[in-house]
Amino acid sequence: VQLVESGGGLVQAGGSLRLFCVPPERTVSVMSWFRQAPGKEREFVAAMTWRGDRKFYGDSAKGRFTISRDNRNNTVYLRMNSLKPEDTAAYHCAARRFGGISTTPSDYDYWGQGTQVTVSS
């Protein structure tokens, strides 16, 4: 099962972007966003339970990014504000079939190929 992300692009520092992810057509417990910059390990960004009763953010995302889900459009969003050049990375959507929120990539069962976000200074 391949997730599909979109919404990446080039933005100036201080700007905003909203990323989109279509969840898998099967039961999942958690939806998350990770990012990976060239030469770096995959980094946890944000996660939410499918029910929406809990959200958790990585240190780099706290206060600037918001994860949400729209049931009507069947879409998971990552709203990113106050973007910085160090936010430049490929952003990947991930879904976990069972269990709670995890910041460990290997705990996730489904992944997207990523959408590139580039923040210029």
Side-chain angles (χ1 to χ4, degrees):
V1 175
Q2 182 81 53
L3 306 183
V4 179
E5 309 100 333
S6 61
L10 174 64
V11 63
Q12 288 188 331
S16 298
L17 279 176
R18 188 169 63 161
L19 306 184
F20 306 80
C21 173
V22 178
E25 292 183 1
R26 55 192 66 191
T27 301
V28 297
S29 62
V30 174
M31 295 294 301
S32 295
W33 289 93
F34 288 79
R35 68 186 185 185
Q36 189 164 20
K40 295 188 177 182
E41 293 187 352
R42 192 159 291 191
E43 177 190 4
F44 171 78
V45 176
M48 64 180 295
T49 55
W50 185 253
R51 291 181 357 180
D53 59 337
R54 184 171 180 236
K55 298 180 180 180
F56 186 73
Y57 296 91
D59 289 341
S60 62
K62 288 177 182 176
R64 300 188 299 131
F65 296 0
T66 303
I67 187 172
S68 61
R69 183 169 72 92
D70 186 333
N71 293 338
R72 294 170 301 174
N73 295 327
N74 192 34
T75 302
V76 176
Y77 303 99
L78 183 68
R79 175 70 178 181
M80 305 186 295
N81 296 327
S82 303
L83 283 163
K84 306 173 184 178
E86 49 264 44
D87 294 318
T88 296
Y91 283 71
H92 298 266
C93 180
R96 192 178 189 194
R97 289 188 297 170
F98 307 108
I101 288 175
S102 171
T103 62
T104 304
S106 60
D107 286 339
Y108 288 81
D109 303 286
Y110 310 119
W111 287 88
Q113 290 191 331
T115 184
Q116 180 66 34
V117 171
T118 303
V119 184
S120 63
S121 57

